[in-house]
């Protein structure tokens, strides 16, 4: 199983998708996304996300039934928007 860990990451470009997890484990800690496109997409695998800030409305997270997300400490512009799935982070600040 492959793993990737990103700590203290800033996204300032204009990505179509912030991250697309098809397998393995992606860990994000202290990520600030000025623009995040369609956000985080999980078709399989695991997302571990802590202290993320999204500075754009809509399209924050999309998960399938085969994916697992462990998330806490999100700041979003507008309401947190999961595109699919029912997984929500604990401790959300919606501004």
């Amino acid at each position: 199983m492959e793993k990737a860990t990103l700590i203290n990451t800033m996204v300032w470009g204009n990505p179509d998708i912030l991250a697309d997890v098809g397998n393995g484990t992606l860990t994000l800690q202290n990520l600030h996304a000025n623009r995040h496109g369609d956000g985080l997409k999980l078709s399989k695998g695991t997302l571990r996300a802590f202290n993320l800030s999204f500075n754009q409305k809509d399209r924050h997270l999309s998960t399938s039934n085969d994916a697992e997300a462990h998330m806490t400490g999100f700041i979003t512009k507008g309401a947190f928007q999961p595109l699919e799935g029912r997984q929500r982070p604990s401790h959300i600040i919606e501004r």
Side-chain angles (χ1 to χ4, degrees):
M1 177 165 68
E2 298 298 322
K3 296 181 181 182
T5 301
L6 301 174
I7 299 172
N8 297 330
T9 303
M10 299 181 83
V11 179
W12 290 95
N14 195 13
D16 292 334
I17 299 170
L18 183 60
D20 189 353
V21 180
N23 205 354
T25 301
L26 174 61
T27 301
L28 300 173
Q29 181 178 342
N30 300 332
L31 179 135
H32 174 82
N34 191 46
R35 295 185 182 171
H36 60 271
D38 282 335
L40 302 165
K41 290 189 170 198
L42 286 79
S43 55
K44 288 188 178 180
T46 303
L47 171 68
R48 296 170 37 85
F50 309 96
N51 303 325
L52 274 62
S53 174
F54 292 98
N55 201 26
Q56 181 182 11
K57 290 184 179 180
D58 301 328
R59 305 176 307 235
H60 298 115
L61 175 69
S62 174
T63 61
S64 73
N65 290 335
D66 295 329
E68 184 177 347
H70 305 277
M71 304 171 289
T72 189
F74 273 52
I75 299 173
T76 62
K77 185 170 185 177
F80 178 79
Q81 294 291 323
L83 289 176
E84 299 170 5
R86 297 183 183 169
Q87 300 186 42
R88 288 180 56 88
S90 61
H91 304 96
I92 302 172
I93 298 172
E94 299 170 333
R95 54 182 171 90

